[in-house]
Structure formats: C-alpha cells, structure tokens
Amino acid sequence: FQTISWAYPLTWFLSSVAFFVPLVRMDWKAMWKTAGMLRKPSGKSRLWLLADMLRCALKYNAGYVDYKIAQMYRLNDAQRKTQITRGLSNQIVRRMNDKAYWYLFDDKATFNELFKEEVGRGWMKLSPATDPEAFKAFLAAPPDIIAKPLEGSSGVGIARYTQDDWQGREDDFLKELLDGQIGIIEERVIQHPRLMALCPTSVNTIRIATLLGDKKQGIVYAFLRIGNGKVMDNVDCGGMAAPINLDTGVISGVGANKAGEAFEFHPMTGKRIPGTQIPYWEEVKAMCLKAMHVVPQVRFVAWDVAITPDGPVFIEGNSFPSHAIPQFAAHFPDGVGILPRFEAFIDL
C-alpha cells in the first residue's frame, strides 16, 4: 500500500510537469499576433485560433510558424499528422545527423573547400590575418562579389558589392567587411537566363534535400526558391518557393511565401512560375546524389543549388534543413503534407 500511495502522486507530478513545461516555453505574444493575422483567411475568431494553435503545439509539437504556413486551421487530425512540424523536424535532424560533423556544412569556407569541384567559383576566407595584397588580387578579377558571414542562415548578413564599393579603397573596404562580421567573399554566380527571367535581382536557387535513410536513399523533395526584389531568394527575406517534379524537373506548383500568398505569375516580372523547366535537371540530381555520400555521418542534407549557363553549382549545404520550405499550404491543396515522403525513407 505504501508503494501505491507514493507512486500515484509522483506519476501525477511528473505528468503535470511534462504538460506545463511546453506551455511555459511558448511564445504567447507571437501566437496571439499570428492568431490575429489568420482571422480573415480562416474565418475563425482569434480565441478559437489561439486555442487550436495550443492544441496543435501540445499534440503535434507544432510551432506558430508551422501552424501558419501549413494553414493547420483548415486541416483535420489525419491531415495534421502528415505535416513536418518543428518538433518532428528537430527529431529527424538529431537522429540522422551527427552534430560533430555539422561544421563541415555550417562553416561556409569549410564547405567550399570540401565541395570545391561542385562550388566551381572563386572565394576567399577573411580574417584579421588576411593579407591585404591577396585581398586586392582577388578583387581584381570579378566585377562584383557576394559577402557572407562565415556561419549563419536565412540570408542574414549576406550582401552584394560591386567595384564601385572598393575600387581605390581596398584597405578600407577590407576593414569594413571585417567590422561587419563578414568571413568569406565569393565571385557572384551568373545564373541561367531561364531562371533569371523569373526574378533578375537574386540568384534563384534550388533547395534539394537528400536522405541516406534506413529504408532507401535519394532525394526527398526539391523546390525552386525565387526572389522578390532583394539580393536573396530566401523565404525569410521575402522570397517564395515552388515545388519541382523530381522526375521531370518541371515546376509543378505556384510560388508561395511565408505570408501565405501564392503566385502563378511572378509579381515583379510577370513570368509564369508553374511549367518552368529547370535547366540541367539530371545534372542537378546527379550532383546532389553524389555529394550526399561525402559526409555519411550527416545523412539528411538540404543542398542549395544554382544553375549557371554551364550547369549546376553548389551555393551551400544545410545540416539542419528548414522544414518551412516544403510545407507551404499552397503546395498541398488536399491537406496531406510531406511527412509520407520521409516515411518512405525512414521509420518515424
């Protein structure tokens, strides 16, 4: 009897902690704001949306961003179970990718060296020890460059510079880059005219995910990321994503962004997005399928691929892929998300 009397309150206490800890960690302010944003498109009240958001957080480990981009208010429980939520995405990455090897992808200079054949462009790592003369020699070749922090994601800190920014003041320019936490400069990629026609302000890259799974290995999904006026095509910088048919390399759906907008025609250029054929598609797939074996300890990688007039090149590889890009509701009109594709590769 003593065992029972102690076990029950202990079990109750632990289950209570397990329930309330996620509640404490939630960003209630952002959730309330998101609920306000979704009132009109959902036709639901703010309180209903907040309560439903809370339910999805506790039941599916879905963050408020997951809820918004997948438009979970329109889904039933069976459909919600097919979404890759933040919690499930983190679980997949932790299981598939050995953190000791993340640096090979997260450090842009290390990645460029490891995949130098596929990167296919000039680059230079910057530090306080950088030789000013070597820096000047690098700047003498390209008409413009892309400058990046050595680590980071979502396009934060990335900028484009032209000769007007450095000509005749290279020493000061180097100091400005270092002061701005820039760790690497690269020759700008000149993209294929077909992709430039969609949006000329950014290099519109393919996000293509490979998985060395327990059941099979290969490509899980591919999306073209398209800019919308900025230097970056990243969806966190106002860009959009459109799904690519893995067999044909043809864009199979509209461009969609994080705000929930969908575009059949690009709002800047008027070019139709669905139906666009990705150039060198077979070469793109072959490059990624080969690269996924280079670091087998990182089994789930999202590669960012640019298409030049001469073929595909890597921009970077992501050891912790964003789960937002393949989850936009506009790409899943039947409400069934991308989780079944992952289940074909691994047990979840």
Side-chain angles (χ1 to χ4, degrees):
F1 290 102
Q2 286 183 334
T3 302
I4 295 174
S5 64
W6 279 101
Y8 178 78
L10 180 60
T11 302
W12 177 86
F13 173 76
L14 292 175
S15 63
S16 298
V17 170
F19 177 81
F20 284 108
V21 166
L23 295 181
V24 173
R25 292 177 178 173
M26 289 180 183
D27 189 339
W28 291 97
K29 185 178 180 179
M31 290 172 66
W32 182 250
K33 182 179 179 181
T34 302
M37 292 169 55
L38 297 178
R39 284 175 60 191
K40 186 174 180 180
S42 69
K44 306 288 187 181
S45 72
R46 198 168 192 169
L47 286 176
W48 187 96
L49 288 162
L50 186 64
D52 195 49
M53 212 178 298
L54 175 60
R55 179 173 178 269
C56 287
L58 296 175
K59 188 169 184 178
Y60 306 107
N61 209 346
Y64 63 90
V65 175
D66 301 329
Y67 189 89
K68 179 177 71 171
I69 63 174
Q71 296 177 6
M72 295 183 78
Y73 54 80
R74 70 187 176 98
L75 306 179
N76 59 38
D77 283 349
Q79 292 167 325
R80 288 173 173 181
K81 288 179 181 178
T82 67
Q83 309 300 314
I84 293 283
T85 63
R86 176 189 59 190
L88 186 53
S89 175
N90 292 349
Q91 176 187 328
I92 293 171
V93 171
R94 283 195 301 267
R95 177 182 160 194
M96 305 306 294
N97 296 347
D98 187 338
K99 197 169 184 178
Y101 294 86
W102 287 12
Y103 76 95
L104 296 172
F105 297 86
D106 298 344
D107 183 289
K108 292 178 174 60
T110 302
F111 177 87
N112 281 9
E113 183 61 34
L114 185 61
F115 295 98
K116 57 186 175 183
E117 180 180 338
E118 293 84 0
V119 167
R121 61 188 177 280
W123 61 276
M124 183 178 189
K125 184 176 179 179
L126 301 183
S127 74
T130 294
D131 179 1
E133 295 306 313
F135 178 70
K136 293 175 185 177
F138 181 89
L139 294 180
D144 51 8
I145 61 170
I146 300 295
K148 308 175 181 179
L150 207 54
E151 296 185 0
S153 60
S154 301
V156 176
I158 297 178
R160 175 185 171 186
Y161 295 96
T162 68
Q163 287 183 340
D164 292 339
D165 294 305
W166 69 70
Q167 214 158 41
R169 53 182 299 274
E170 287 83 357
D171 291 333
D172 290 337
F173 183 57
L174 174 58
K175 183 178 184 304
E176 290 168 7
L177 293 177
L178 293 173
D179 289 345
Q181 305 301 309
I182 295 299
I184 186 171
I185 54 175
E186 301 177 348
E187 294 179 2
R188 182 170 67 92
V189 171
I190 305 301
Q191 67 182 323
H192 193 283
R194 192 179 302 161
L195 299 184
M196 185 181 293
L198 290 173
C199 179
T201 63
S202 61
V203 176
N204 305 303
T205 58
I206 300 164
R207 170 63 62 92
I208 184 167
T210 57
L211 185 55
L212 290 167
D214 308 313
K215 299 177 181 178
K216 69 175 185 177
Q217 61 187 37
I219 297 171
V220 187
Y221 62 76
F223 286 78
L224 179 67
R225 303 188 305 177
I226 311 167
N228 196 13
K230 296 183 179 180
V231 173
M232 297 299 299
D233 63 352
N234 198 290
V235 296
D236 291 314
C237 296
M240 64 189 77
I244 301 171
N245 182 291
L246 296 182
D247 294 325
T248 65
V250 175
I251 295 179
S252 57
V254 296
N257 62 21
K258 271 194 165 183
E261 299 171 311
F263 304 95
E264 180 180 359
F265 297 89
H266 196 283
M268 278 183 56
T269 62
K271 295 292 183 180
R272 189 172 188 269
I273 297 171
T276 301
Q277 173 70 56
I278 302 297
Y280 297 106
W281 181 241
E282 292 303 319
E283 290 83 353
V284 171
K285 292 193 292 184
M287 184 174 74
C288 294
L289 290 171
K290 176 184 175 183
M292 74 178 181
H293 294 285
V294 174
V295 187
Q297 297 84 356
V298 182
R299 299 163 64 188
F300 176 37
V301 179
W303 310 92
D304 290 340
V305 180
I307 310 296
T308 75
D310 300 316
V313 296
F314 278 152
I315 298 297
E316 63 183 25
N318 301 273
S319 61
F320 204 112
S322 166
H323 64 290
I325 291 173
Q327 284 290 128
F328 289 130
H331 301 145
F332 302 93
D334 62 358
V336 177
I338 205 167
L339 179 58
R341 296 196 204 176
F342 281 83
E343 290 176 326
F345 286 80
I346 56 177
D347 289 316
L348 292 170

